[in-house]
Amino acid sequence: MHREISPYGYKNGFCDGIPIGLGYFSVSFGFGITAVNEGLWLLEAVLISMTNLTSAGQVAGVGVIVAAGGLIEMILTQLVINLRYSLMGITLTQRLDTRCTFPHRLLMSFGLTDEIFAVSSAKPYPVGPRYFYGLMCAPYIGWAAGTLFGAWAGNLLPMDIRNAMGIMIYAMFVAIIIPPMKKNRGVLLVVALASLISCCMYYIPLLSGISSGFAIIISACLAAVVMALLCPVKDDAADTSEGEVLRDED
């Protein structure tokens, strides 16, 4: 694809990012409540959201912090949870125009999330740095502001209400995995197996001593490996080539 200069500017990106920012505000509100419920200060919760932009990674990271986990545990936990962003980044590089130099890409990678990737990848023309910075802006503000208000509300609301609202972010995770579970039996089995392994590591006395961070790593990796062996994803290119060979033989 010829990478001409992107026709999209900062304003286009900011307008496209407003719906994402509104969604992030509600989700990070739940993260703010969860963080203060776990014992973090308001400023600590906000700084986490301002220096990170990963809902699942932040929730898992707070769990590691509360459990007094080590640095290696934190690194491995974030690597497993956020590895998909590397694949998104590689794919997105094919959609960037010639102005996206290496320094721009480093800064843009900070704001790369599932929703931002989906919006920028759907554009019919290449994406430039100005558009991407605009697209990042509203989600970043919404994520940080939602955490601030959630943490502030968590310090004021009664404990019962805080506990009830703290499950908002977990409800989002469930909402994310249910649609692909309905469409793909392999995804359903992976989720079920990972949940089973996680429960075993929590309730079996011999395994219950494993910290939450390593429990996430083990559950996710083991379930993924097992299901990759039992239910591998077929390669469309290989299927196409095989079909062409059979037609040629006929």
Side-chain angles (χ1 to χ4, degrees):
M1 182 182 66
H2 176 63
R3 298 189 187 180
E4 65 270 17
I5 298 299
S6 174
Y8 313 115
Y10 180 89
K11 183 178 179 180
N12 302 118
F14 187 83
C15 292
D16 289 345
I18 290 176
I20 302 176
L22 294 175
Y24 281 5
F25 181 90
S26 60
V27 173
S28 60
F29 191 93
F31 169 74
I33 292 179
T34 301
V36 296
N37 281 350
E38 295 292 346
L40 271 67
W41 295 345
L42 183 149
L43 181 59
E44 292 173 333
V46 174
L47 286 177
I48 289 175
S49 286
M50 292 183 67
T51 54
N52 298 270
L53 203 56
T54 164
S55 55
Q58 290 182 207
V59 173
V62 168
V64 174
I65 293 172
V66 173
L71 182 60
I72 299 300
E73 180 180 348
M74 177 67 80
I75 292 174
L76 292 176
T77 301
Q78 298 304 316
L79 176 64
V80 171
I81 293 176
N82 297 318
L83 187 60
R84 70 187 187 280
Y85 293 130
S86 299
L87 303 178
M88 293 181 191
I90 294 172
T91 303
L92 189 60
T93 56
Q94 309 304 313
R95 301 286 306 157
L96 303 179
D97 69 12
T98 54
R99 294 176 297 179
C100 291
T101 58
F102 182 70
H104 280 304
R105 296 186 185 194
L106 284 179
L107 185 57
M108 292 162 65
S109 65
F110 171 76
L112 183 61
T113 65
D114 303 73
E115 294 78 12
I116 291 176
F117 169 77
V119 171
S120 56
S121 298
K123 288 295 179 181
Y125 297 102
V127 172
R130 293 179 60 188
Y131 172 82
F132 202 88
Y133 294 149
L135 185 61
M136 290 169 49
C137 188
Y140 179 79
I141 294 173
W143 187 255
T147 302
L148 172 62
F149 283 99
W152 175 73
N155 286 325
L156 298 178
L157 295 175
M159 181 58 69
D160 292 340
I161 298 180
R162 287 163 55 182
N163 291 334
M165 297 186 68
I167 67 172
M168 291 169 54
I169 195 164
Y170 300 105
M172 182 205 70
F173 296 149
V174 174
I176 290 174
I177 63 174
I178 285 180
M181 285 171 57
K182 291 181 177 180
K183 297 178 182 178
N184 192 315
R185 179 171 172 267
V187 176
L188 173 62
L189 294 176
V190 168
V191 173
L193 181 57
S195 301
L196 177 62
I197 296 172
S198 180
C199 290
C200 291
M201 299 185 71
Y202 184 82
Y203 289 106
I204 296 178
L206 185 63
L207 302 176
S208 60
I210 299 176
S211 63
S212 60
F214 279 113
I216 293 174
I217 296 169
I218 295 172
S219 300
C221 292
L222 187 58
V225 170
V226 171
M227 295 312 302
L229 295 174
L230 297 180
C231 302
V233 177
K234 293 183 179 181
D235 189 344
D236 294 337
D239 293 343
T240 303
S241 300
E242 183 178 351
E244 292 176 352
V245 171
L246 292 176
R247 286 195 295 272
D248 292 340
E249 290 178 354
D250 294 340

